[in-house]
């Protein structure tokens, strides 16, 4: 039984909701009519993102600052609000950093998820949508099973970050087998890019960006001199790496569909694991070209040696998400670049004022 002071409405708990994908998902949850509460320790985000979400949706955002590893703090949130389902974004995500700090990654991502699941169990909360990654498909799989389907081999990932995603997928699978009526939707994201069309929220990486799109955007805005293109000799249509870039608003909408599905009578796969991509592969050079076109800026680049751990091609067969959730990506590369540029040019220092 919840205490009498618990809020009456059913809430979606959004862990990591102040982050890049989380903040965009809040906007889509709000327009779909969901009430939510954000739980985030702000280790890689700022409350300014939530203030801006609040402006877009014209409504206050309920926010509880805390760490998913802090059981007491999480229990308090579950006591205070009537949590119907959890959308679980919270986690550390930098591949290179995870090689240097593996224990932090296992503790934050894996242990954090265990604590979250145990508190959900205590409070009889039985629905979770989890942020996984295409990184669970290993190097051999991306060579032999392109476009990638959900039943392509996973595991043997090359870095601790990737392994945390693989382990959590397996933990969720064990948990749903053990728990009556527990429901999981695991979304394997491909390469999220872009920003909300308002240009007020977007990706705000700390320091030098690791990922392609923020690096291109910062080069176009004059913050970086040139982009290093990692490898020009891959077996791809122009020699540079090919990825499945997906607009973050399309990705956000996949979470809304996943929540609808998880609560519907149609939910007939207890543990649904779905690729969230466009199904299209685009090279680094095509992304540069598309960005230059929409921004009307030159993006200087140099082709340098391959980055260790990179693969040639990674793109989804996204047909299962369409079949199961009725979801598919709607925004093309041009829109992804246009919205990234709007965010970057309006906010050259990100959320820092
Ligand atoms: P992000 O870093 O912008 O957002 C993650 C949020 O989680 C941040 O606000 C951070 O402060 C919070 N957080 C981290 N550890 C926490 C903890 N212990 N307790 C509470 N809050 C914590 O990252 P994002 O790009 O929005 O990614 C969201 C999720 O999607 C992550 O789980 C990430 O691994 C996954 N993912 C991201 C990508 C990508 O390229 N962006 C690709 C595949 C999967
Ligand atoms: N690239 C460059 N120069 C850069 C950055 C990237 O040429 O400065 C190239 C890469 O070599 C790759 C492509 O741009 O060919 C995309 O690279 P990203 O770093 O943007 O993305 P990745 O596909 O390497 O990795 C991303 C996330 C991972 C996630 C993976 C699969 O960063 O966390 O997608 O979902 F695991």
């Amino acid at each position: 039984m919840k205490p009498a002071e618990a809020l009456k409405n059913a809430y979606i708990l959004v862990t990591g909701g102040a982050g890049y994908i989380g903040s965009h998902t809040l906007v889509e949850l709000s327009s779909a009519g969901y009430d939510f509460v954000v739980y985030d320790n702000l280790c890689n985000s700022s409350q300014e993102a939530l203030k801006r979400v609040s402006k877009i949706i014209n409504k206050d955002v309920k926010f509880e600052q805390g760490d998913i590893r802090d059981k007491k703090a999480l229990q308090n949130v579950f006591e205070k609000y009537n949590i119907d389902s959890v959308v679980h974004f919270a986690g550390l995500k930098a591949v290179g950093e995870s090689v240097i700090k593996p224990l932090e990654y296992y503790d934050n991502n894996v242990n954090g998820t265990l604590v979250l699941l145990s508190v959900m169990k205590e409070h009889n909360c039985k629905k979770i949508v989890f942020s996984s990654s295409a990184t669970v498909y290993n190097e051999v799989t991306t060579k032999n099973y392109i476009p990638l389907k959900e039943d392509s081999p996973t595991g043997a990932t090359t870095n601790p970050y990737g392994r945390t995603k693989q382990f959590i997928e397996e933990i969720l699978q064990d948990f749903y087998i053990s728990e009556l009526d527990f429901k999981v939707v695991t979304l394997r994201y491909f390469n999220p890019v872009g920003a909300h069309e308002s240009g007020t929220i977007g990706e705000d990486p700390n320091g030098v960006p690791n990922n392609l799109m923020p690096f291109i955007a910062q080069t176009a805005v004059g913050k970086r001199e040139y982009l290093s293109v990692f490898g020009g000799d891959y077996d791809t249509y122009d020699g540079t790496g090919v990825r499945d870039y997906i607009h973050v608003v399309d990705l956000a909408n996949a979470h809304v569909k996943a929540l609808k599905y998880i609560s519907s009578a149609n939910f007939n796969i207890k543990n649904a694991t779905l690729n969230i991509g466009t199904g299209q592969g685009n090279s680094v050079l095509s992304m540069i070209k598309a960005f230059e076109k929409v921004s009307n800026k030159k993006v200087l680049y140099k082709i340098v040696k391959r980055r260790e751990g990179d693969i040639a091609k990674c793109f989804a067969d996204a047909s299962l998400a369409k079949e199961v959730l009725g979801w598919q990506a709607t925004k093309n590369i041009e829109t992804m670049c246009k919205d990234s540029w709007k965010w970057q040019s309006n906010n050259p220092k990100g959320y820092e004022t």
Side-chain angles (χ1 to χ4, degrees):
M1 272 286 282
K2 309 260 177 201
E5 65 272 20
L7 302 179
K8 245 173 72 197
N9 296 350
Y11 283 86
I12 310 297
L13 179 69
V14 185
T15 73
Y20 171 47
I21 304 169
S23 54
H24 289 81
T25 302
L26 301 180
V27 174
E28 302 310 309
L29 285 175
S30 176
S31 51
Y34 285 99
D35 285 324
F36 53 79
V37 53
V38 172
Y39 186 77
D40 198 306
N41 65 3
L42 302 180
C43 70
N44 196 37
S45 51
S46 115
Q47 227 175 316
E48 177 63 20
L50 298 178
K51 284 193 192 142
R52 296 192 185 187
V53 167
S54 182
K55 270 203 180 140
I56 297 172
I57 66 177
N58 201 18
K59 204 172 157 188
D60 281 344
V61 170
K62 293 197 162 48
F63 173 56
E64 302 285 338
Q65 187 167 351
D67 194 296
I68 47 168
R69 292 164 296 179
D70 183 342
K71 193 167 189 175
K72 189 76 213 124
L74 258 183
Q75 283 167 329
N76 288 341
V77 172
F78 275 81
E79 293 298 324
K80 184 168 170 188
Y81 300 89
N82 176 18
I83 307 289
D84 174 75
S85 322
V86 176
V87 181
H88 179 29
F89 293 110
L92 302 177
K93 63 164 183 177
V95 172
E97 186 186 59
S98 77
V99 176
I100 298 161
K101 301 176 177 171
L103 299 185
E104 267 183 43
Y105 271 68
Y106 289 122
D107 183 38
N108 201 89
N109 294 6
V110 180
N111 184 32
T113 302
L114 292 176
V115 173
L116 172 66
L117 290 173
S118 72
V119 176
M120 286 176 67
K121 180 174 161 139
E122 273 174 21
H123 291 81
N124 211 24
C125 175
K126 290 188 175 256
K127 290 177 274 183
I128 188 167
V129 179
F130 170 61
S131 305
S132 190
S133 164
T135 194
V136 299
Y137 300 113
N138 57 43
E139 197 179 346
V140 178
T141 300
T142 60
K143 276 193 187 127
N144 300 323
Y145 298 85
I146 280 278
L148 295 156
K149 276 174 114 65
E150 289 79 353
D151 58 2
S152 308
T154 60
T157 38
T158 52
N159 58 76
Y161 165 72
R163 273 190 283 280
T164 67
K165 293 295 177 190
Q166 178 70 30
F167 293 162
I168 297 168
E169 284 199 8
E170 291 177 23
I171 289 166
L172 287 169
Q173 202 152 15
D174 288 339
F175 193 58
Y176 97 80
I177 289 168
S178 75
E179 288 295 305
L180 192 66
D181 297 334
F182 187 71
K183 294 174 181 174
V184 184
V185 177
T186 293
L187 302 179
R188 290 183 181 153
Y189 311 156
F190 280 67
N191 289 57
V193 296
H196 187 260
E197 62 180 1
S198 64
T200 59
I201 56 171
E203 188 172 13
D204 183 19
N206 278 328
V208 182
N210 295 310
N211 296 115
L212 180 67
M213 269 303 252
F215 207 109
I216 291 184
Q218 291 190 6
T219 309
V221 87
K223 200 168 163 185
R224 314 264 160 216
E225 200 186 333
Y226 65 90
L227 167 80
S228 295
V229 175
F230 299 137
D233 57 351
Y234 282 110
D235 179 19
T236 59
Y237 60 88
D238 62 15
T240 65
V242 163
R243 297 291 184 276
D244 188 337
Y245 297 95
I246 169 151
H247 197 294
V248 66
V249 172
D250 275 336
L251 178 57
N253 271 311
H255 295 78
V256 174
K257 297 269 186 179
L259 280 173
K260 285 190 179 145
Y261 175 60
I262 212 169
S263 295
S264 76
N266 296 336
F267 191 90
N268 55 8
I269 314 170
K270 273 183 89 184
N271 184 7
T273 299
L274 302 166
N275 284 341
I276 304 296
T278 62
Q280 308 274 317
N282 280 283
S283 73
V284 177
L285 295 182
S286 329
M287 294 306 283
I288 296 174
K289 241 186 236 152
F291 204 94
E292 286 183 333
K293 193 170 158 207
V294 300
S295 66
N296 218 7
K297 297 271 176 195
K298 195 88 198 124
V299 176
L300 296 179
Y301 70 87
K302 289 184 192 169
I303 298 187
V304 300
K305 69 178 178 34
R306 294 179 179 191
R307 180 170 67 177
E308 207 182 320
D310 268 359
I311 49 176
K313 290 180 238 179
C314 179
F315 54 94
D317 176 330
S319 53
L320 191 60
K322 186 173 179 196
E323 192 186 308
V324 173
L325 302 181
W327 171 91
Q328 62 182 330
T330 59
K331 296 178 190 287
N332 62 18
I333 291 291
E334 206 162 279
T335 308
M336 297 179 208
C337 293
K338 183 169 66 61
D339 292 339
S340 282
W341 176 238
K342 190 167 183 191
W343 156 250
Q344 182 67 55
S345 50
N346 287 348
N347 307 270
K349 292 184 176 174
Y351 288 115
E352 201 184 304
T353 45

